[in-house]
Amino acid sequence: MAEIDGNMVLAQALKKQGIEYVFGIIGYPVIELSMALQQADIHYIGMRNEQAACYAAQAIGYLTGTPGAVLVVSGPGLIHAFGGMANAQTNCWPVLVIGGSAPQDHEGIGGFQECNQVELARPYCKYSARPPSIALIPMHVEKAVRLTKTGRPGAAYLDFPANILSGRVSEETIPNQYGPVAIPIIYPDPAEIEKAVAVLTQAKKPLVIVGKGAAYSRAENEVRHLIQSTDLPFLATPMGKGVIPDISPNCVASARSSALQQADVILLLGARLNWMLHFGRPQRYSPDVKIIQIDLAAEELHNSVEAAVAIQSDIKVAVEAIVRKLKEKRYTFSKRSEWWEHLIRKCQDNQRIVKAMAADETVPLNYYAVFKNVFENLPEDCIIVSEGANTMDIGRTMLLNNQPRHRLDAGTFGTMGVGLGFGIAAALYCRHNEPNKRVICVEGDSAFGFSGMEIETMVRYKLPIIIVIVNNSGIYTGMEADILNDIRDSVGVEEITKVSPPGCLSSATRYDNMMKLFGRSGYFVNTVPELRSAIKDALKTNDGPTIINVIISLTADRKPQSFNWLTESKL
């Protein structure tokens, strides 16, 4: 019988489980494995940083429902990927990390990059294991992929010593592999649906909050039907945007603080009451608010506050059941109610403030003017990737999404550095599924710096990603170049690290010139006309990335807030 090595067994097992994309950086002992992946008809994308590779793989998992895989070398290679694994686990996105490791006969005697990888990975994933033989590789691959997708999605890790990958066995010793298995659908308890409808229909100030879980479960048709048939007001979490179009007349995002604070009943669809929703507690919420919580994970129910109704269910089928019951009752919420009038008034007040800030095209520009003109010149329904502090937060309100899964940002873990990896994944997804769709990465200058060399990856694979860097020369705020230089010049070189403001970066850095590394040109932008022109030109580029470096005011900030963006601890 013919022989087969561990590399090919693993590659074929991954393909059998539906893995189409592997992102990574090769080296000992996974060089041959990367080639085997390509032989198995899997897309291998060589990245420049393991964290970025892991960010890209999990974004593919979110966009497709099937995890992307990450290929890393032993020791430091895997450790670099832990940031991405932790992000995927917290963000509830499926990803599979595959790590090479030292040969088993070198363990305990100082093998090259020897590291207890299975145990080190365990806190950052749902499943961490090492197949003990080549014949058992398919079984562990099936289990790992299945666990990334079922229940609350997340990360899995599989460890492969060099001797397992290079070892050879007879093909007949490899058992037939089943899968991929269908993900079981969790249906809601009908009695709990009845309770939810009873609470909702009694509300004087109802509010629906649409979370990322609704987007991941592909529940957009059901959730849109709920809003359209009832006229309920809704808010979306950052990556819940687009499940219902942001332009919907029922979207009250512009009155977010008031809506949360005064609602008497909240229907929570696949969103967690964590820091992003201020834990569901006063003073951000009414002390008497009743929360109807629907979540795939039973562990999330009643977390932080006691829900009036808590339903473990797939969002899609739960919303379908609620809509059916509401139709039986012929329920709609009147747009003439005091609640709707209050929300509309608040939306209009806040929109006037934002509109005025966006209309101010004074140089240096502010965030609102930049985002207004970026959005007005983007193709309809492009995928928007965003990261940074104010860049991401203000961008959520200005860069609208009308389709689900069309916004990717730092997410629940608040991870900086995700942007370019997410952008690469989104561009690959579009190439193979929606080739006419464009991907736009809107980056703060600090955030861009985390993974800026991934532009080489984009060039290598001819990914037409537009990178807009909103450059204020710092983290949160920058400092005028002459003032910063005076501070540094006032001390000796030995003391410069003691006086340089911790949040300041080099002033107006020419990130656009990075495109010259590849014989291309970027755009250096100071004014609105320059910005509009740069975007229009960039959209003509279909064979690689473009950088648009937009210089804004060093002290640009968001509009005045009713509350701090982060709920403060009371301890």
Side-chain angles (χ1 to χ4, degrees):
M1 291 293 291
E3 287 192 334
I4 188 171
D5 69 5
N7 290 307
M8 190 55 70
V9 172
L10 175 53
Q12 291 176 353
L14 292 168
K15 183 67 175 180
K16 174 73 173 178
Q17 295 305 318
I19 302 296
E20 295 291 340
Y21 300 91
V22 177
F23 304 81
I25 298 177
I26 65 166
Y28 177 81
V30 297
I31 298 170
E32 291 79 9
L33 175 55
S34 66
M35 301 174 189
L37 293 168
Q38 292 177 319
Q39 286 181 293
D41 196 32
I42 291 172
H43 299 283
Y44 177 79
I45 302 93
M47 303 284 284
R48 300 302 301 266
N49 176 280
E50 288 93 352
Q51 280 191 23
C54 201
Y55 298 142
Q58 64 196 255
I60 280 287
Y62 175 64
L63 292 168
T64 67
T66 297
V70 187
L71 181 62
V72 297
V73 300
S74 51
L78 174 64
I79 291 169
H80 290 168
F82 285 161
M85 291 174 68
N87 188 72
Q89 190 73 350
T90 303
N91 225 22
C92 305
W93 285 3
V95 69
L96 172 62
V97 178
I98 297 163
S101 59
Q104 288 167 303
D105 58 320
H106 290 183
E107 290 179 347
I109 56 173
F112 175 67
Q113 295 182 333
E114 181 186 349
C115 189
N116 191 357
Q117 296 175 185
V118 175
E119 289 307 313
L120 284 173
R122 206 176 298 281
Y124 307 106
C125 58
K126 296 175 68 178
Y127 181 66
S128 182
R130 169 190 285 184
S133 69
I134 295 174
L136 289 173
I137 288 174
M139 182 192 79
H140 283 276
V141 169
E142 186 282 326
K143 182 173 183 179
V145 172
R146 172 164 43 87
L147 292 184
T148 66
K149 298 187 293 182
T150 53
R152 174 179 281 175
Y157 173 68
L158 290 178
D159 191 70
F160 292 93
N163 59 294
I164 293 288
L165 291 174
S166 62
R168 303 183 68 83
V169 296
S170 173
E171 286 187 353
E172 66 181 1
T173 65
I174 307 300
N176 290 330
Q177 183 181 13
Y178 62 86
V181 297
I183 300 173
I185 296 174
I186 300 174
Y187 285 84
D189 182 340
E192 296 302 312
I193 293 292
E194 292 277 7
K195 290 180 188 177
V197 169
V199 171
L200 186 61
T201 54
Q202 294 300 311
K204 302 295 184 186
K205 298 178 180 180
L207 178 68
V208 178
I209 299 179
V210 181
K212 178 173 72 244
Y216 184 79
S217 68
R218 275 60 179 170
E220 53 266 22
N221 290 336
E222 290 74 16
V223 177
R224 291 180 183 192
H225 190 190
L226 168 68
I227 298 301
Q228 290 164 1
S229 63
T230 61
D231 255 341
L232 289 165
F234 78 91
L235 294 170
T237 63
M239 278 185 279
K241 284 163 57 71
V243 172
I244 311 165
D246 283 344
I247 61 171
S248 165
N250 291 64
C251 180
V252 294
S254 297
R256 183 181 189 271
S257 292
S258 185
L260 294 179
Q261 196 174 25
Q262 297 185 38
D264 61 357
V265 172
I266 291 176
L267 176 59
L268 197 64
L269 302 178
R272 289 172 281 179
L273 292 176
N274 55 21
W275 68 272
M276 296 185 80
L277 286 175
H278 315 291
F279 313 109
R281 297 177 181 177
Q283 302 179 356
R284 294 283 194 156
Y285 293 77
S286 165
D288 301 320
V289 66
K290 294 179 179 177
I291 293 175
I292 303 166
Q293 189 179 14
I294 304 177
D295 201 283
L296 192 67
E299 297 85 352
E300 193 61 38
L301 302 178
H302 304 294
N303 192 35
S304 181
V305 296
E306 182 180 6
V309 185
I311 303 173
Q312 183 191 12
S313 175
D314 179 89
I315 299 297
K316 198 172 191 176
V317 293
V319 173
E320 202 171 42
I322 287 173
V323 168
R324 191 162 51 246
K325 289 294 180 183
L326 290 173
K327 279 189 174 180
E328 289 175 7
K329 294 177 178 292
R330 299 185 179 181
Y331 171 82
T332 57
F333 189 72
S334 174
K335 274 284 182 78
R336 298 176 184 175
S337 66
E338 290 183 12
W339 179 231
W340 255 121
E341 289 178 357
H342 169 77
L343 292 173
I344 291 170
R345 187 165 58 252
K346 282 289 185 181
C347 283
Q348 291 171 342
D349 290 345
N350 288 328
Q351 287 165 0
R352 272 194 291 271
I353 297 170
V354 170
K355 189 174 181 180
M357 296 177 76
D360 179 5
E361 298 181 2
T362 304
V363 176
L365 298 170
N366 67 67
Y367 285 104
Y368 294 87
V370 170
F371 291 137
K372 172 182 179 290
N373 287 280
V374 167
F375 182 71
E376 288 179 351
N377 288 276
L378 293 181
E380 187 176 357
D381 294 335
C382 58
I383 294 180
I384 299 172
V385 180
S386 186
E387 65 171 331
N390 287 341
T391 298
M392 180 175 64
D393 293 339
I394 299 171
R396 287 169 178 163
T397 66
M398 301 291 292
L399 303 174
L400 305 183
N401 296 100
N402 294 321
Q403 296 297 327
R405 298 170 297 282
H406 277 53
R407 178 183 174 85
L408 307 173
D409 72 16
T412 310
F413 212 34
T415 308
M416 292 297 105
V418 297
L420 300 194
F422 282 4
I424 288 168
L428 289 166
Y429 170 81
C430 290
R431 173 176 287 175
H432 296 114
N433 296 277
E434 300 183 67
N436 295 323
K437 193 177 289 291
R438 293 302 296 261
V439 176
I440 315 295
C441 289
V442 184
E443 303 270 316
D445 52 327
S446 172
F448 174 77
F450 281 81
S451 54
M453 278 313 299
E454 295 301 339
I455 60 171
E456 188 276 329
T457 308
M458 299 174 185
V459 170
R460 193 171 0 118
Y461 294 111
K462 298 184 176 182
L463 298 174
I465 300 166
I466 297 175
I467 303 168
V468 179
I469 300 174
V470 186
N471 188 348
N472 69 346
S473 303
I475 302 172
Y476 300 113
T477 59
M479 183 175 285
E480 294 287 351
D482 54 351
I483 298 175
L484 188 58
N485 289 334
D486 286 346
I487 292 173
R488 291 169 174 169
D489 292 344
S490 67
V491 298
V493 174
E494 297 83 0
E495 300 294 307
I496 197 168
T497 52
K498 295 181 180 178
V499 299
S500 295
C504 286
L505 304 174
S506 299
S507 298
T509 300
R510 293 296 301 270
Y511 298 108
D512 50 295
N513 284 340
M514 292 177 72
M515 295 308 303
K516 291 183 179 179
L517 298 170
F518 313 102
R520 296 166 179 253
S521 297
Y523 299 87
F524 185 68
V525 168
N526 284 286
T527 68
V528 164
E530 290 172 348
L531 176 58
R532 287 176 170 270
S533 176
I535 294 173
K536 288 177 181 177
D537 281 352
L539 288 169
K540 298 173 186 175
T541 301
N542 293 306
D543 64 345
T546 305
I547 293 178
I548 301 174
N549 185 17
V550 187
I551 306 302
I552 67 167
S553 170
L554 303 174
T555 56
D557 205 348
R558 67 189 81 190
K559 74 177 185 65
Q561 305 290 301
S562 302
F563 293 92
N564 290 331
W565 68 274
L566 182 64
T567 300
E568 296 180 359
S569 172
K570 304 299 182 185
L571 297 179

